Amino acid sequence: MRNSLPVFLIVAILSAAAFAQKNASPSERTLFDAVNRDRKASGLHALNWDESLATAARKHAQEMAKRQAVEHHFPGEANLPSRATKAGARFISISENVVQASSAKAAHSQFMHSASHKANILDRDVDSVGIGVAQRGHAVFVVQDFSKAKN
């Protein structure tokens, strides 16, 4: 007997991962894949897509685009833990990356060239991520919310 998963189980796992990202835009998928590619290159486990975190991230990305500013928190807006909880996320810890760039690939490059953003991406204690991207003109506003999920 081999120590491998049956093909139907592999297909079911891949289908579940694709279903979890069904609402993700192409830019959000690009960023998700880039995060997991860099984590794998660093010997870390891949992150799970969390649609609740993505909902919170998208809402904040839209707010950044509306204001044409990059901030973790705007006056009158809930803070990160409150935004994520309101969106339905359950977590033990949470962190966030925010940036304005010309594209999803450029955003990921900026994150990886910033020590604090890179540390969030390569944090071995997180297991989930939700990503939101909003466009305004030629700029994309990106929010990545990372968490250690509470079961």
Side-chain angles (χ1 to χ4, degrees), residues 22-96:
K22 69 180 168 90
N23 295 327
S25 71
S27 293
E28 292 164 354
R29 286 188 189 108
T30 294
L31 286 156
F32 178 71
D33 292 342
V35 163
N36 279 329
R37 186 173 46 253
D38 284 336
R39 288 180 64 83
K40 182 179 179 182
S42 295
L44 300 170
H45 64 277
L47 297 178
N48 298 311
W49 181 265
D50 184 309
E51 190 60 33
S52 296
L53 288 176
T55 297
R58 284 184 195 111
K59 185 173 180 181
H60 188 61
Q62 290 165 356
E63 188 65 25
M64 291 193 320
K66 176 180 147 189
R67 294 175 185 245
Q68 297 186 58
V70 177
E71 298 288 339
H72 289 283
H73 178 255
F74 292 106
E77 180 189 41
N79 64 19
L80 171 59
S82 296
R83 290 192 311 260
T85 299
K86 183 176 181 182
R90 295 177 34 87
F91 52 89
I92 295 168
S93 64
I94 192 163
S95 59
E96 182 176 69

Side-chain angles (χ1 to χ4, degrees), residues 38 97-99 104-122 144:
D38 284 336
N97 286 347
V98 294
V99 72
K105 287 181 182 179
H108 184 72
S109 178
Q110 287 181 42
F111 286 146
M112 293 306 288
H113 285 92
S114 161
S116 60
H117 293 110
K118 183 177 180 178
N120 284 340
I121 290 169
L122 301 180
Q144 296 175 322

